[in-house]
Amino acid sequence: NAGVTQTPKFQVLKTGQSMTLQCAQDMNHEYMSWYRQDPGMGLRLIHYSVGAGITDQGEVPNGYNVSRSTTEDFPLRLLSAAPSQTSVYFCASSSQRGGTDTQYFGPGTRLTVL
Amino acid sequence: GEDVEQSLFLSVREGDSSVINCTYTDSSSTYLYWYKQEPGAGLQLLTYIFSNMDMKQDQRLTVLLNKKDKHLSLRIADTQTGDSAIYFCADLHGSGNTGKLIFGQGTTLQVKP
């Protein structure tokens, strides 16, 4: 199993550009989520999905869109990038949302918006 | 909203014990977790504790939970240089598919040889 994969690893955007961060998992997990990590602020939940076709907002959803057309993939879209979206983005998956089940994290995408 | 707080930095000598502390505000917490993040990598689940437990031991790791004071700690015995990383405390607020993980800011552990 490859686990959770994210692409790209690094990205530089100009203000106003759009892009999609890719996330895929091969563990047949129902639950997937996107976090952003900023210095001194821990991880904050952006969006999550409890299964194909179902998504919901997390703590900081503004400026981001998601979709879940398959169990494996959960892309995160930035519609019009802003410098405030400069961050490290992590995708995670688990077979359930909490409890004793492990959340598996991807290696992260480091995004800089100029 | 619910909050999780950690001190930002801890420095210890190799072979000593490390204790990383965390406080949380959630009265309906079900599980509490410790994650480890090595440089340039994602988060790795180290251990977790159910909210009705006081202590959990797993090899060099000991988790203590004081539910009355909403205080969680992670003790690493015989700390090694490979333990240098950022450690995150996280609280599962709610349960099932409505539960939400709330992370602390992370504690950077520096292990000096």
Side-chain angles (χ1 to χ4, degrees):
Chain A
N1 285 352
V4 179
T5 57
Q6 290 184 240
T7 55
K9 292 197 77 170
F10 301 94
Q11 182 70 50
V12 178
L13 293 177
K14 293 181 180 177
T15 296
Q17 286 185 314
S18 62
M19 81 158 294
T20 299
L21 308 186
Q22 302 291 345
C23 173
Q25 52 89 11
D26 60 359
M27 297 172 281
N28 202 32
H29 284 166
E30 291 296 322
Y31 181 74
M32 297 184 74
S33 54
W34 276 103
Y35 294 88
R36 60 178 287 173
Q37 183 180 26
D38 301 295
M41 298 189 73
L43 275 75
R44 292 182 292 168
L45 182 64
I46 305 172
H47 285 286
Y48 66 94
S49 168
V50 299
I54 307 168
T55 64
D56 207 346
Q57 295 181 350
E59 187 184 349
V60 287
N62 292 342
Y64 307 95
N65 276 0
V66 292
S67 59
R68 185 94 180 270
S69 54
T70 66
T71 299
E72 294 77 21
D73 300 297
F74 190 44
L76 178 73
R77 279 183 289 277
L78 282 73
L79 302 175
S80 177
S84 61
Q85 293 177 306
T86 294
S87 188
V88 182
Y89 291 85
F90 289 101
C91 178
S93 78
S94 63
S95 61
Q96 61 175 334
R97 187 157 185 191
T100 59
D101 188 57
T102 300
Q103 275 218 43
Y104 293 88
F105 281 80
T109 294
R110 191 173 294 274
L111 175 69
T112 302
V113 182
L114 303 174
Chain B
E2 304 304 335
D3 197 20
V4 177
E5 297 280 338
Q6 298 177 241
S7 54
L8 295 182
F9 186 77
L10 175 67
S11 180
V12 300
R13 293 225 171 262
E14 193 173 19
D16 287 350
S17 292
S18 309
V19 179
I20 303 171
N21 294 302
C22 170
T23 57
Y24 60 98
T25 60
D26 184 3
S27 299
S28 62
S29 176
T30 50
Y31 288 90
L32 293 137
Y33 306 84
W34 284 103
Y35 284 85
K36 177 182 180 182
Q37 184 182 32
E38 296 182 351
L43 275 69
Q44 173 193 3
L45 179 66
L46 278 180
T47 187
Y48 65 90
I49 188 167
F50 188 47
S51 58
N52 69 353
M53 296 169 65
D54 298 324
M55 186 183 91
K56 180 177 180 181
Q57 185 142 10
D58 184 0
Q59 299 182 335
R60 292 192 297 123
L61 304 179
T62 303
V63 179
L64 294 177
L65 175 60
N66 181 329
K67 200 170 178 184
K68 174 176 167 287
D69 293 338
K70 296 190 176 67
H71 182 268
L72 182 75
S73 67
L74 174 70
R75 179 177 181 269
I76 306 172
D78 187 25
T79 312
Q80 303 297 308
T81 53
D83 295 323
S84 293
I86 304 176
Y87 290 81
F88 290 92
C89 167
D91 160 41
L92 181 66
H93 175 65
S95 61
N97 277 340
T98 63
K100 183 171 75 171
L101 269 182
I102 301 169
F103 285 86
Q105 310 95 311
T107 299
T108 297
L109 175 64
Q110 179 190 66
V111 183
K112 297 179 181 176

